[in-house]
């Protein structure tokens, strides 16, 4: 890929040849480094003089490491080959037999077939399980290559034959292995969920950065540990895969190594049939400042390249598009001779002594352990920048019916003939009968390969992958520490966002856990009034602050520091979520209980990075997602793309997410205090989503005895004077509207209403569902009652529920509140307006609550219908107004 600068045809080839000759001479006599220096000087000079120098990001389509510079393979190649063959067999057999006996259960054979060498060289030589007593390397595996990872763990003796036999059968009496890397399902094995394409790469980049953050802040010791991420070439098209590459170079993350498995194919067919994925990725990664190592050709090609004096072989390699490379592998040696070498007679001559079979077997770099070993050695030693290894491989390598063919990704079951061929090719010593059944094979414990395999892992500190269970180490502050928030604002008007910032500042100062708090923001610190946090703990900047900030003389200046605590991620919710993931799983990965608070525009959370939040939950992540500027009507002015009325609905879909919609400072304090205790002291696998609003109002003091209700989801905030005829539920700022409605109902219409604060419909529903399930399964036992019903005992009458979220949020309780419940909410697209107009439009203001209450009472025969209609006119509720849900 180079910049297309049209340069006219060469007017003086003679002169050009002289320049080239001079360069050749320098290279011959003074070497490559000198040549590079001179060229650099010329380019600099040309640029300064205004010459448009072409940007050339591609190097020749050859291995980056010249043959002559390779070091010798440090292991026993033969033993490693045998181990790899067995891993290949078991990985294939696992999928094959599962599909033979349980049609459609799925799995993948071809991906691991292409990846085996790339993983095995890592397992035998590079993946450290530990560095002394410190955590070792982190490996993000290509998710759908999991059978290969299981197959190795089986050889190591960590998984049983039964485990493998129950691949994708997780719900049997003896449960087996999950389809893909899921820490939720295999918490002692997988660390990183990767199978949703793109999530592995971005999480790996931010993991490497977070590792540095922990080191620079003195929370972990510095070690040579690395983050390895195995990425598909097709996967590289996901924006998440490539979108954060520059963070790697900007931060100098030489602890990060990507290995892109360039098998040139994705699910349907070629990744770039008409082009070259390797060239495209090389240019992109180099442009982003990464160290790029191409591993394209195996050792047998070196000998051909060496003998090719014409340079035509390298040219032929350069000119083929990926669709051709794929066809060469799919169609075999005779075709390769004719179509690849046959283009130039000199090349046919070059391979005249090789049989068609030999030509078919000329290996790609990613299948040559020596090439891979050398690339890994260089990657590990490289300093100052992350490294990407572009390894060219064959999808379905060794599967006779599927090698390099378009449908290979879907190959789940081999024919009898193919399976016997596979067995022979990889020299698995089992009889036909067993092979056809897909029996697993494990060499004897005292066989040379098994001894070797165990010894290699011992030397590297143990087995991988391995996810560690950890126990609590710190004391969480009790509720009394949050005194300021519990006592209310004494009439001062503040927002819940401000209230949260105060809590965050308090936690940051806590002598026990202050240093573990990780505030994360995507360029919204000022929106959330967090300038003081920036000043208090500083922004993490690996280089410190290289400039004098213009606002240095101000109290709240923009402070960056090498040991800064706040992660100011810039405008990337995905990147911030990746940091949140690294910090929220550090309790297991680094044995450091960091507590992340990621504060973001609630609209750009669940709906924008929902899949990453799902993966976070899978990872058993802990922490607080703080949805700022929440609510469809509370965020004034911003309109349709900003006003969030549905993140709570989306949050309800994530099993470990406890979502709260608090109205007051003390509610936030209670939720955060309890959350830290449950997540970090009790070690529960949960995390929190808490909405924060930007409307200022007086924060009341916490009513006596409200704690339990706040946590469970509901408590009576302001009882009616006398017996209530109706109950008003309010959440977030709509609680104030409910209180206002309570006054109007009493004063104008003589209706007594209780006001309840509902902090979490999601939690109330979950508890009610669990109780209901218990009742269903125990028909003979006395019926249990959900919290929502026991709370409402003695409080009969209809309910009007108002929140700044969709009606579906309160509707979650409809099964238990039957026809008592009237939900008001913000269904529909937002508008640019102020709160007054927005709330009228969405019918969630006090007047709408009053109208809904009177209407419901009238329907129930408890209020005169005519009077209700007259009331509508009095309070300005227009019954013929357009429905906001469809407006
Ligand atoms: C976000 C997402 N979209 C789609 C898929 C389904 N899928 C699984 S593997 C695959 C093809 C992967 O191709 P590549 O990344 O080249 O990996 P290979 O198997 O070729 O090594 C697809 C589309 C997925 N897992 N995640
Ligand atoms: Mg691929």
């Amino acid at each position: 890929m180079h910049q297309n600068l049209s340069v006219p045809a060469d007017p003086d080839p003679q002169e050009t040849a002289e320049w080239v000759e001079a360069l050749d001479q320098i290279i011959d006599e003074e070497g490559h480094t000198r040549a590079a220096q001179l060229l650099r000087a010329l380019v600099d000079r040309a640029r300064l003089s205004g010459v448009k120098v072409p940007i050339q990001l591609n190097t020749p389509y050859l291995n980056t490491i010249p043959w002559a510079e390779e070091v010798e393979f440090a292991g026993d190649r033969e033993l490693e080959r045998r181990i790899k063959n067995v891993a290949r067999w078991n990985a294939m057999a696992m999928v094959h037999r599962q599909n033979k006996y349980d049609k459609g259960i799925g799995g993948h054979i071809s991906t691991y077939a292409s990846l085996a060498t790339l993983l095995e060289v890592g397992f035998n030589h590079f993946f450290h399980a530990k560095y002394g007593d410190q955590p070792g390397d982190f490996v993000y595996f290509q998710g759908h290559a999991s059978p290969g990872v299981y197959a190795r763990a089986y050889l190591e003796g960590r998984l049983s034959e039964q485990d493998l036999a129950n691949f994708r059968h997780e719900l049997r009496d003896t449960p087996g292995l999950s389809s893909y890397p899921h820490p939720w399902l295999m918490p002692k094995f997988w660390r990183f969920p990767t199978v949703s394409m793109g999530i592995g790469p971005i999480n790996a980049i931010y993991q490497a950065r977070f590792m540095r953050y922990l080191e620079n802040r003195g929370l972990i010791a510095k070690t040579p540990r690395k983050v390895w991420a195995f990425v598909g070439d097709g996967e590289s098209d996901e924006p998440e895969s490539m979108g954060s590459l520059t963070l790697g170079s900007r931060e100098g993350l030489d602890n990060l190594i990507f290995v892109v498995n360039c098998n040139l194919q994705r699910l349907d067919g070629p990744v770039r049939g008409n082009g070259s994925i390797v060239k495209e990725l090389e240019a992109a990664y180099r442009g982003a400042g990464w160290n790029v190592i191409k591993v394209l050709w195996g050792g047998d090609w070196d000998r051909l390249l060496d003998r090719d004096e014409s340079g035509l072989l390298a040219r032929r390699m350069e000119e083929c598009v990926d669709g051709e490379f794929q066809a060469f592998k799919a169609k075999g040696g005779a075709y390769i001779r004719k179509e690849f070498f046959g283009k130039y007679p000199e090349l046919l001559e070059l391979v005249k002594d090789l049989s068609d079979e030999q030509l078919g077997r000329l290996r790609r770099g990613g299948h040559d352990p020596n090439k891979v070993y050398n690339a890994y050695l260089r990657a590990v030693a490289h300093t100052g920048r992350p490294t990407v290894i572009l390894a060219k491989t064959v999808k379905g390598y060794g599967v006779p019916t599927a090698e390099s063919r378009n449908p290979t990704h879907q190959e789940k079951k081999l024919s009898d003939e193919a399976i016997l061929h596979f067995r022979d090719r990889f020299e698995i010593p089992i009889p036909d009968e067993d092979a056809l059944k897909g029996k697993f094979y494990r060499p004897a414990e005292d066989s040379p390969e098994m001894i070797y395999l165990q010894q290699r892992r011992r030397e590297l500190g143990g087995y991988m992958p391995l996810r560690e269970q950890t126990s609590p180490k710190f004391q969480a502050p009790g509720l009394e520490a949050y005194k300021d928030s519990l006592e209310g604002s004494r009439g001062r008007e503040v927002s819940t966002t401000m209230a949260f910032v105060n809590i965050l500042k308090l936690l940051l100062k806590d002598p026990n856990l202050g240093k573990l708090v990780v505030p994360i923001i995507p360029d919204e610190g000022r929106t959330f009034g967090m300038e003081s946090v920036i000043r208090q703990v500083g922004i993490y900047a690996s280089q410190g602050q290289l400039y004098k900030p213009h606002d240095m003389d101000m109290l709240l200046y923009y402070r960056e520091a090498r040991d800064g605590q706040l992660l100011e991620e810039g405008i990337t919710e995905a990147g911030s979520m990746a940091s949140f993931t690294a910090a929220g799983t550090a309790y297991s990965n680094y044995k450091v209980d960091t507590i992340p608070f990621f504060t973001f525009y609630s609209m750009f959370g669940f709906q924008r990075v929902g899949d990453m939040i799902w993966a976070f939950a899978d990872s058993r992540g802990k922490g607080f997602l703080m949805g700022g500027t929440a609510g469809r009507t509370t965020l004034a002015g911003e309109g349709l793309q900003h006003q969030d009325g549905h993140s709570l609905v989306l949050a309800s879909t994530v099993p470990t997410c406890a979502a709260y919609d608090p109205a007051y400072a003390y509610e936030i304090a209670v939720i955060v205090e309890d959350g830290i205790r449950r997540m970090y002291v009790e070690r529960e696998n949960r995390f929190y989503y808490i909405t924060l609003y930007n409307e200022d109002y007086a924060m009341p003091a916490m009513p006596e005895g409200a704690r339990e209700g706040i946590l469970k989801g509901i408590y009576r905030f302001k009882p009616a004077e006398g017996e209530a005829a109706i109950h008003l539920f309010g959440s977030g700022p709509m609680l104030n509207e409910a209180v206002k409605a309570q006054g109007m109902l009493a004063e104008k219409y003589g209706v007594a209403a209780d006001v309840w604060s509902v902090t979490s419909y999601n939690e109330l529903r979950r508890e009610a569902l669990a109780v209901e399930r218990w009742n269903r399964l125990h028909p003979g036992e006395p019926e249990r009652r959900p919290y929502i019903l026991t709370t409402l005992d003695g409080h009969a009458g209809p309910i009007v529920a108002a929140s700044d979220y969709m009606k579906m949020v309160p509707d979650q309780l409809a099964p238990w509140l039957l026809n008592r419940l009237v939900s008001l909410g913000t269904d529909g697209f937002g508008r640019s307006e102020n709160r007054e107009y927005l709330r009228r439009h969405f019918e969630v203001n006090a007047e709408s609550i009053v109208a809904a209450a009177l209407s419901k009472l009238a329907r129930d025969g408890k209020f005169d219908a005519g009077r209700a209609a007259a009331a509508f006119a009095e309070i300005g509720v227009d019954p013929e107004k357009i429905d906001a849900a469809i407006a």
Side-chain angles (χ1 to χ4, degrees), residues 233-234 261 263-266 271 395:
D233 48 359
N261 176 12
N263 54 26
L264 313 187
Q265 288 175 248
R266 52 191 179 205
V271 179
K395 191 148 178 170

Side-chain angles (χ1 to χ4, degrees), residues 332-351:
Y335 185 84
I336 295 175
R337 186 184 307 278
K338 178 159 174 280
E339 299 294 330
F340 180 77
F341 294 101
K343 179 154 182 200
Y344 303 110
E346 294 91 328
L347 293 186
L348 275 180
E349 184 64 20
L350 190 69
V351 294

Side-chain angles (χ1 to χ4, degrees), residues 111 142 144 195-197 232-235 238 261 263 265-267 395 409:
T111 299
Q142 255 187 295
H144 56 296
V195 80
S196 176
M197 309 268 115
D233 48 359
E235 179 176 18
E238 287 286 2
N261 176 12
N263 54 26
Q265 288 175 248
R266 52 191 179 205
L267 193 151
K395 191 148 178 170
H409 190 89

Side-chain angles (χ1 to χ4, degrees), residues 606 613 623-627 644 646-662 667 671 678 686-693 709-714 731 758-766 805 809 812:
F606 278 86
I613 297 176
F624 295 92
L625 291 176
M626 308 301 296
D644 164 39
H646 51 280
S647 62
L648 286 167
V649 178
L650 302 177
S652 76
T653 62
V654 182
T656 59
C657 177
Y660 285 91
D661 193 15
E667 294 180 353
I671 296 162
R678 288 182 67 172
R686 54 178 11 227
F687 69 100
Y688 288 74
Y689 176 57
I690 303 176
T691 56
L692 299 174
Y693 295 84
I710 293 172
L711 295 172
K712 293 208 153 162
I714 185 168
S731 307
V758 184
T759 50
S760 181
Y761 287 100
N762 296 20
E763 287 296 287
L764 287 171
R765 176 179 170 82
R766 281 183 181 162
Y805 280 81
V809 174
Q812 291 183 88

Side-chain angles (χ1 to χ4, degrees), residues 648-685:
L648 286 167
V649 178
L650 302 177
S652 76
T653 62
V654 182
T656 59
C657 177
Y660 285 91
D661 193 15
Y664 299 131
Y666 64 81
E667 294 180 353
I668 301 178
V670 166
I671 296 162
V672 169
E673 186 269 336
D674 187 66
I676 292 179
R677 189 185 54 74
R678 288 182 67 172
M679 290 188 289
Y680 291 92
V681 182
E682 310 295 331
R683 286 334 236 195
E684 285 183 43
N685 286 303

Side-chain angles (χ1 to χ4, degrees), residues 707-849:
R707 186 170 182 274
E708 179 186 291
I710 293 172
L711 295 172
K712 293 208 153 162
I714 185 168
Y715 65 98
R716 196 150 65 128
F717 173 68
K718 196 166 177 227
E721 281 174 23
E723 196 187 335
I726 192 160
H727 303 277
L728 309 179
F729 286 6
S731 307
M734 274 350 100
L735 183 55
N736 296 325
E737 298 292 328
V739 171
K740 201 167 144 201
Q742 180 188 42
M744 287 167 73
L745 280 168
E747 283 156 29
K748 293 192 168 175
Y749 308 105
V751 173
D754 279 348
V755 173
W756 303 72
S757 175
V758 184
T759 50
S760 181
Y761 287 100
N762 296 20
E763 287 296 287
L764 287 171
R765 176 179 170 82
R766 281 183 181 162
E767 192 265 353
L769 286 177
V771 170
E772 187 178 79
R773 174 176 176 272
W774 190 92
N775 289 337
R776 194 168 70 239
L777 294 173
H778 303 86
E781 309 272 336
E783 198 170 61
R784 295 180 180 173
R785 302 182 63 241
Y787 188 77
I788 179 63
L789 291 185
T790 56
T791 306
L792 289 176
D793 272 345
H795 303 285
I799 296 160
V800 176
S803 83
D804 214 357
Y805 280 81
M806 291 175 70
K807 299 179 185 79
M808 202 161 154
V809 174
D811 280 350
Q812 291 183 88
L813 297 183
W816 299 276
L817 300 178
L818 297 171
N819 49 14
R820 290 180 70 181
L821 182 68
V822 176
S823 296
L824 302 179
T826 57
D827 299 44
F829 287 122
R831 290 289 192 287
S832 322
E833 251 304 350
N834 68 16
R835 287 183 192 126
E836 183 191 339
Y837 279 78
L838 284 168
R839 287 175 184 169
R840 189 181 307 157
H841 173 73
F842 283 102
E843 298 162 15
V844 290
N845 57 0
E847 290 76 7
S848 300
I849 296 172

